Amino acid sequence: MRTEPTAVRVVLAEDGVLLREGLAGLLARFGFDVAAAVDDAEALLAAVAEHRPDLVITDIRMPPDFSDEGLRAAVRLRRADPGLAVVALSQYVELSYAADLLDSGDGRRVGYLLKDRVVDVADFVAALRQVLDGGTVVDPKVIRQLIGRRRDPLAALSPREHEVLALIAEGHSNAAIARRLVVTDATVGKHVRSILAKLDLPQTDDTHRRVLAVLTYLRGRPPAPDPG
Amino acid sequence: MPNDPPPTLLAAMGSRGYLLTAWPWRAAGYLLSTMAVVVAAGLPLVLLGMPLLLAAASDAALGERALPAVLGLLLVAGLGPAVTIPLTGLERRRLRLVDVRPAGPGHRRPPERGVLPWFRTRYTEPVTWRALGYFLLLSAAVPVLYAAMLSALAFEFGAVAAPLILLGGDGPMVLGPLRLATPAEALPYAVAGLVLLPAVPYLLALVAAAQGALARTCLRNGPDGRLQAELVEVARSRARLVDAFEAERRRIERDLHDGAQQRLVSLTLKLGIARVDLPPGSPAADSVADAHAEAKLLMTELRELVHGIHPRVLTDRGLAAALGELADRSPLAVTVEADLPGRLPRQVESTAYFAAAEALTNAAKHSGADRAAVVARLSGGVLTVEVADEGAGGADPSRGTGLTGLADRVAVIDGRLLVSSPAGGPTLVRVELPCEPNRPPSG
């Protein structure tokens, strides 16, 4: 665990000028310290090396060729420093990218959100804080698409368990899930144990198993072939 | 078609009352004008071929004759077309005397103006060389054939006229192998001549018809002629048009995405931040909250609209990813199996995508099925996309424009659209598109 400074230092990478400025303004408004706002992956790597931020927010597709430069940079940064919190922003749902990102490090302190999510200002900031606190946040829309794919190993889960797993994937704690589904904490705990058993996950510490459950979820779909 | 006028001399000869029609005269006109053509074509050709003719006629050693022979051949081949090309058009027009059917493709129009394109076209198209052969054959055969024909005619008319001539006392007269001294001697020949007289137009017509058939065969361009070239050009231009249309769609999508969509997100974000700063419950907070909600709705609508123009995911990540996304958007439970080696040509990708989208939309609307399967495969240079559902079937391409429009779109890139949808189901829509894999996307 790193010591949290008073203000969270952020490096922001986004090629769209309007969104970059909007995000910088939003972050400043909520007390984040925006150390650098850049517009391509190379500048992102350089800025991270220079400013040692606590949080990186990056667009997945950036110049020069708009494939997945931002994502690859994010994965590289996570390999070098698994403790670095990274939130990737995507124009549309790309499940394989989400899986790539969540695979980096130990699957904690990462977020995968759709760009449109930033306009729900309060939710977006809450998601950033969750990631900084060691959580895993995946956009509800991504989760919804995953639920639409009843595939092994997820096929074994009941609809209620799907719902709970979706909430876990969004980074919620058991207590928050219980509040949302209007059930007791004990019931949620039972669902979680059942999910972990059904997904055949190893017995390690609970948070980590939760992340693995999310990853299993995200791998419910074979990754799309790379653009060749 | 018994009442149609006969299109050719040959057909006219078989009809009753032939001798009373214009056909015999047309045949005669054709034969007479042929002589002029043979002089016009034959003389220059003979001059060009002179070294060859001399070599053939000389009694020198074979080695000494080879050079002039080759020279003559080269002259005829090289300069002969210059003689025959101007005459080909005339010959094709003259053919209408004995054959009014369309003569088929003639000389092609050179692709551009100028001397060089003209020469390239003329010296590479079949009709030029066929015509040269035709004129050479005509120059060689017509003098011999017409001489024989004229002697036969002279004998015929001579035989008919012989008694009258001999009555005038100008005997004896020589008629071919015959020597006739008195009218009585000539009478049987005259009778025979009179009996044979109606055969004369038929003889002339036969020669004219044979010659016309030869002209018709020789003076038309090959099957790879202009029509073929035009068809290919039409197909190409149609493909270019569709390509341009696709590129335009992508451009509109990009412009909207980079412009209006970005601005709208930025505006919505600003409204979102404003909401945070306004005291909750105040009128300002309420109206900003309303505006924020409106803007979010508009964002969604605009995204859907832009997606319909051209899905970004297709541009960015290709067909397999776009089909996956298509499945996610469908109200049906759709499984996707896309076994593709990477990016395909853009036109193929978007045609396949829109075909699958149309088929899935139809399945969701009309089939009553709750699941569908999309399978995309590339093998042997053909991309196959199949959309199957277990619904009620009975899809009819002739009703509604969706499938028909799809078929047109598929046809433009030489693909096929197959629909199998018996009443009671299942429905299978299959698109086959020829495609070279792993070519970097163009445009």
Side-chain angles (χ1 to χ4, degrees):
Chain A
M1 286 301 292
R2 57 174 68 196
T3 50
E4 292 287 336
T6 44
V8 177
R9 242 202 325 250
V10 184
V11 167
L12 174 65
E14 156 69 50
D15 59 291
V17 179
L18 289 171
L19 187 59
R20 188 168 67 238
E21 286 173 1
L23 271 172
L26 163 73
L27 292 167
R29 164 67 187 75
F30 279 88
F32 292 82
D33 167 20
V34 182
V38 298
D39 63 359
D40 68 48
E42 238 168 88
L44 168 64
L45 294 174
V48 170
E50 185 186 343
H51 298 287
R52 315 285 307 141
D54 310 293
L55 171 67
V56 168
I57 301 174
T58 179
D59 185 1
I60 285 182
R61 298 178 174 280
M62 283 191 291
D65 46 8
F66 296 94
S67 59
D68 57 352
E69 300 78 358
L71 178 90
R72 273 180 298 165
V75 170
R76 242 175 84 179
L77 290 170
R78 295 264 302 163
R79 288 224 181 92
D81 176 10
L84 177 68
V86 171
V87 173
L89 299 178
S90 175
Q91 189 65 48
Y92 45 83
V93 178
E94 299 185 79
L95 294 169
S96 57
Y97 285 5
D100 282 353
L101 187 67
L102 296 169
D103 259 343
S104 66
D106 58 358
R108 298 164 63 176
R109 293 175 168 269
V110 286
Y112 178 86
L113 295 172
L114 294 182
K115 273 190 195 178
D116 286 358
R117 195 64 52 199
V118 305
V119 303
D120 293 314
V121 175
D123 287 358
F124 177 65
V125 171
L128 296 182
R129 299 238 182 257
Q130 231 168 34
V131 170
L132 282 164
D133 290 345
T136 307
V137 177
V138 178
D139 197 282
K141 205 164 173 184
V142 176
I143 302 299
R144 266 202 298 282
Q145 284 205 10
L146 286 166
I147 289 177
R149 305 171 177 281
R150 300 286 172 80
R151 289 198 187 199
D152 291 330
L154 303 172
L157 302 184
S158 70
R160 192 56 155 180
E161 285 164 352
H162 262 284
E163 213 172 342
V164 172
L165 181 52
L167 292 168
I168 294 174
E170 284 176 38
H172 295 284
S173 65
N174 281 11
I177 295 172
R179 270 201 306 283
R180 197 169 276 225
L181 298 180
V182 201
V183 293
T184 63
D185 280 12
T187 310
V188 174
K190 203 172 66 192
H191 282 312
V192 172
R193 275 192 299 283
S194 162
I195 290 167
L196 295 175
K198 280 184 179 173
L199 295 183
D200 200 18
L201 293 168
Q203 298 286 334
T204 52
D205 83 275
D206 194 27
T207 321
H208 192 64
R209 284 172 67 202
R210 289 173 79 108
V211 172
L212 285 175
V214 173
L215 289 180
T216 306
Y217 212 167
L218 293 174
R219 287 201 201 87
R221 162 186 205 172
D226 284 335
Chain B
M1 296 176 290
N3 295 331
D4 278 358
T8 65
L9 178 60
L10 208 56
M13 280 168 64
S15 61
R16 284 185 30 218
Y18 160 71
L19 292 178
L20 302 177
T21 64
W23 283 107
W25 302 104
R26 294 172 71 151
Y30 189 64
L31 294 177
L32 280 173
S33 53
T34 295
M35 294 186 203
V37 171
V38 167
V39 172
L43 279 179
L45 286 175
V46 165
L47 284 175
L48 287 172
M50 195 60 80
L52 176 62
L53 295 173
L54 291 176
S58 92
D59 46 11
L62 204 61
E64 287 171 18
R65 288 196 276 166
L67 187 65
V70 170
L71 179 68
L73 275 176
L74 283 176
L75 280 171
V76 171
L79 299 175
V83 176
T84 57
I85 287 167
L87 290 169
T88 303
L90 172 70
E91 271 302 81
R92 285 165 57 86
R93 274 194 296 279
R94 222 166 50 83
L95 181 59
R96 298 189 61 80
L97 279 171
V98 293
D99 185 348
V100 297
R101 292 174 301 169
H107 278 297
R108 268 173 237 164
R109 186 190 302 259
E112 52 220 69
R113 302 180 77 93
V115 178
L116 213 63
W118 186 89
F119 270 103
R120 200 176 300 125
T121 305
R122 287 289 169 271
Y123 276 75
T124 55
E125 60 186 344
V127 70
T128 302
W129 304 105
R130 289 181 184 188
L132 182 62
Y134 166 84
F135 283 112
L136 286 170
L137 187 63
L138 217 58
S139 310
V142 161
V144 178
L145 186 69
Y146 281 25
M149 197 169 62
L150 284 172
S151 346
L153 288 179
F155 185 83
E156 163 74 26
F157 291 120
V160 172
L164 297 172
I165 294 168
L166 290 172
L167 273 178
D170 288 340
M173 68 179 284
V174 179
L175 198 60
L178 305 173
R179 271 185 67 90
L180 303 173
T182 63
E185 245 180 293
L187 203 56
Y189 293 104
V191 172
L194 276 174
V195 171
L196 283 175
L197 200 55
V200 169
Y202 282 97
L203 173 71
L204 296 184
L206 262 179
V207 174
Q211 208 184 299
L214 181 71
R216 190 181 169 77
T217 312
C218 292
L219 301 179
R220 55 198 304 187
N221 230 334
D224 54 344
R226 191 162 53 189
L227 186 66
Q228 194 71 20
E230 276 170 8
L231 275 176
V232 169
E233 186 45 44
V234 165
R236 278 208 199 113
S237 74
R238 196 167 64 146
R240 274 200 299 272
L241 203 62
V242 170
D243 230 359
F245 177 67
E246 275 297 325
E248 194 59 11
R249 280 177 91 118
R250 279 199 303 273
R251 191 188 63 77
I252 292 169
E253 188 273 338
R254 202 175 46 237
D255 288 355
L256 279 172
H257 174 266
D258 294 346
Q261 267 185 301
Q262 304 278 359
R263 280 176 192 284
L264 187 54
V265 170
S266 163
L267 170 71
T268 316
L269 183 57
K270 284 185 176 133
L271 287 169
I273 297 170
R275 274 182 74 184
V276 176
D277 290 331
L278 288 166
S282 66
D286 288 348
S287 43
V288 171
D290 283 349
H292 187 231
E294 282 284 336
K296 282 205 300 192
L297 211 59
L298 185 55
M299 258 172 62
T300 310
E301 277 178 16
L302 183 60
R303 192 180 336 94
E304 287 303 308
L305 176 76
V306 172
H307 184 277
I309 292 169
H310 195 92
R312 172 56 62 134
V313 63
L314 186 63
T315 314
D316 287 345
R317 309 206 52 200
L319 183 58
L323 287 177
E325 199 220 27
L326 197 59
D328 291 330
R329 298 168 74 92
S330 171
L332 308 175
V334 183
T335 57
V336 179
E337 203 183 311
D339 184 16
L340 303 172
R343 292 307 293 266
L344 309 172
R346 287 223 164 131
Q347 229 195 76
V348 173
E349 278 191 339
S350 57
T351 305
Y353 173 86
F354 283 108
E358 177 69 27
L360 274 180
T361 307
N362 286 342
K365 264 195 214 155
H366 309 299
S367 76
D370 55 3
R371 49 184 48 254
V374 179
V375 180
R377 258 191 234 96
L378 184 69
S379 68
V382 176
L383 170 70
T384 312
V385 179
E386 285 183 347
V387 179
D389 70 67
E390 297 288 335
D396 182 2
S398 61
R399 291 190 13 241
T401 54
L403 281 174
T404 334
L406 205 56
D408 290 347
R409 192 166 179 155
V410 167
V412 167
I413 55 172
D414 295 333
R416 293 199 305 166
L417 172 77
L418 310 160
V419 180
S420 153
S421 185
T427 299
L428 177 71
V429 177
R430 181 185 167 112
V431 180
E432 294 170 357
L433 305 171
C435 136
E436 301 287 318
N438 296 335
R439 243 183 31 202
S442 57

